[in-house]
Amino acid sequence: MASIFTKIINGEIPCYKIAENEDFFAFLDINPNAKGHTLCIPKKEVDKITDLDEDTYSGLMSFARKVAKALEASVPCKRIGMTVIGLEVPHVHVHLIPLNEMKDATFQHKVSLKQSEFEAIAESVRAKM
Ligand code: 5GP
C-alpha cells in the first residue's frame, strides 16, 4: 500500500507544498514543532534513510539544504535543524525545523497554526527558492 507521503506526492492527500523536482518533494509538516517545520522526501518510497541508494541519499540531502536555506531566509530563527526520525511514517523524510530554543527540536512541543498561516509560510518559502 502506498505510504501517506506517496499519496501526498500524487495529490491524493492535500499538502502545503514548498518545492518539487523529478526525484524529491518538500511540504510543511501538518503538526509542526515550530512555524515553518518542513519535510523533504524522495519520491522513491523507501522506509529507512540508511537503505537509500547513494545517489538518492546525496540528492535528498542536497535538495534539503536548498529548501533549508529558503526556509531560513523566510522564518525568523537561530538556525534550521535537520533531523531524521521515521518512527511514524515509513517513507524517508528529513525534518527541517526552524530552531530558536532546544525545545523546538524535541518533538514534545507543538505549535498550532491556522490554514492561512500554513499558506503564508509556504508561499514565502516558495518565493525564496
Ligand atoms: P516521524 O515519522 O519522523 O516520526 O514523523 C512523521 C512526521 O510526519 C510528523 O512530524 C507528522 O506530523 C508528519 N505527518 C504525518 N502525517 C502527515 C500528513 O498527512 N501530512 C503532513 N503534512 N505531515 C504529516
Side-chain angles (χ1 to χ4, degrees):
M1 199 176 92
S3 77
I4 196 156
F5 290 170
T6 294
K7 289 182 180 166
I8 286 175
I9 293 165
N10 293 337
E12 294 162 38
I13 292 176
C15 74
Y16 300 98
K17 183 170 153 181
I18 300 289
E20 178 177 14
N21 66 22
E22 199 182 327
D23 298 316
F24 305 104
F25 195 96
F27 56 104
L28 294 178
D29 194 299
I30 206 65
N31 187 21
N33 289 18
K35 200 170 173 178
H37 184 166
T38 296
L39 302 174
C40 297
I41 64 177
K43 291 187 175 175
K44 192 183 288 184
E45 193 177 314
V46 172
D47 179 0
K48 297 178 183 171
I49 195 163
T50 45
D51 288 337
L52 286 178
D53 62 78
E54 199 68 36
D55 284 351
T56 307
Y57 175 78
S58 44
L60 174 63
M61 297 316 284
S62 170
F63 178 77
R65 180 169 69 169
K66 201 171 159 203
V67 176
K69 284 177 181 287
L71 193 54
E72 192 165 22
S74 307
V75 179
C77 61
K78 289 185 177 161
R79 60 176 56 219
I80 303 297
M82 299 175 76
T83 188
V84 176
I85 311 285
L87 287 173
E88 185 186 329
V89 179
H91 183 146
V92 175
H93 47 286
V94 176
H95 293 262
L96 302 179
I97 307 167
L99 301 176
N100 284 296
E101 303 174 63
M102 185 53 91
K103 72 174 166 53
D104 299 329
T106 63
F107 292 82
Q108 307 286 331
H109 170 83
K110 296 288 178 177
V111 296
S112 143
L113 301 175
K114 294 185 199 128
Q115 185 178 336
S116 58
E117 292 175 292
F118 277 110
E119 281 164 358
I121 298 163
E123 194 178 324
S124 153
V125 181
R126 280 197 302 268
K128 298 274 197 296
M129 289 291 298

